[in-house]
Amino acid sequence: MGNDVFRHNGFTNTVTTNNHITVRGSDWYWTVCAVMTVSAFGFMIHSYFKPRSQRLFHYLNATVCLIAAISYFCMGANLGWTAIQVEWMRSSAKVAGNMRQIFYVRYIDWFITTPLIVVQLLLVAGLPTPTILYTLLMTEVVVVNGLVGALVKSSYKWGFFTFGAVAFFFVAFAIAWDGRAYARVLGVDVLRIFNILAAWTILLWTVYPVIWGVSEGGNIIAPDSEAVSYGVLDLLTKPVFGAVLIWGLRNVDLARLGIHVNDAHPRIPRAEPAPRTEKDAEAAAASNGATATTPATTTATAPETAV
């Protein structure tokens, strides 16, 4: 699809590109945006059926989906991108251009949401705070290297790709090894949901570098195919991940995971007003099948004096 047709459909920006998404790619981005938005509202609405001390994962997943929705809104509107000269020119008409469209807004999304996903896994396992912080830092290293590599036109991009892959190994090791060891102590039910989510997350996250390698990296697949691939992965690792997590912990008190939330106004049954008169007390006792008793009055007697 040439630049003239591209502009005719309303896709314009200040950077010139001849290797970009089409209307179909934009429509897919809008679809993912809608799903992310609905998911964010769903997590928030569901949180109101839980005590405030049990809402942490609802809030985190709602935040993840809302940020992703904003990112996909931006990409659907054909914003938040720049054009980078490709390392290899391809003969296919779909990727024939030498200036490929790179959505940097996608990496802003990942920079915020990926650590929020990791922290949920590690909180479920009950890992200590230093390990959680270290793993989150490695997660940021993965995303930053992916962004820098995508914005580099020369073969140096694969050096950043390698640094990101090494950092991802540390993240996966912390989840699969340390996480399972700590989750096992918390009980069979916690270990089960952790194993499911850990395997699900690590498996899907290993697909992201593959997509990067054939799109931003190697310029093999078209930007529309890139959009579909990343969109499906984001749906599986964000709203689907969050739904499975909340369902798996539906009967688990977060205090078991070492998460203690102080609620200044907990939901407690409203106490009945205290009786104001003796008749009110008798009526309340009668309704409870008991007999009202009144405090006995005692009279003080002076001690006898021996004469």
Side-chain angles (χ1 to χ4, degrees), residues 110-236:
W110 290 345
F111 188 83
I112 301 173
T113 59
T114 305
L116 294 181
I117 296 172
V118 171
V119 77
Q120 291 184 77
L121 272 174
L122 303 186
L123 286 175
V124 170
L127 281 168
T129 302
T131 304
I132 293 178
L133 294 177
Y134 153 78
T135 309
L136 294 183
L137 178 60
M138 289 295 103
T139 305
E140 302 288 25
V141 172
V142 174
V143 177
V144 170
N145 275 279
L147 172 60
V148 175
L151 297 178
V152 171
K153 66 178 183 179
S154 68
S155 59
Y156 283 108
K157 67 167 67 246
W158 300 104
F160 294 105
F161 176 88
T162 303
F163 282 123
V166 172
F168 174 71
F169 170 79
F170 289 114
V171 174
F173 182 84
I175 294 174
W177 184 264
D178 296 332
R180 290 186 71 251
Y182 276 79
R184 187 177 293 109
V185 180
L186 299 176
V188 177
D189 52 344
V190 175
L191 178 62
R192 181 185 303 111
I193 188 62
F194 176 82
N195 284 339
I196 293 173
L197 291 174
W200 178 264
T201 302
I202 293 175
L203 176 63
L204 291 175
W205 280 359
T206 56
V207 181
Y208 278 95
V210 176
I211 303 303
W212 188 97
V214 297
S215 56
E216 293 107 321
N219 190 39
I220 297 174
I221 64 174
D224 281 353
S225 300
E226 170 192 330
V228 173
S229 301
Y230 280 139
V232 171
L233 287 175
D234 280 349
L235 288 173
L236 294 176

Side-chain angles (χ1 to χ4, degrees), residues 9 22 25 66 81 83-84 94 106 108 111 134 149 173 185 193 233 241 248 250 282:
N9 284 283
T22 66
L66 180 59
W81 61 270
I84 300 297
K94 294 182 178 179
R106 188 197 317 278
I108 298 175
F111 188 83
Y134 153 78
F173 182 84
V185 180
I193 188 62
L233 287 175
F241 170 93
R250 65 193 183 281
E282 291 177 352

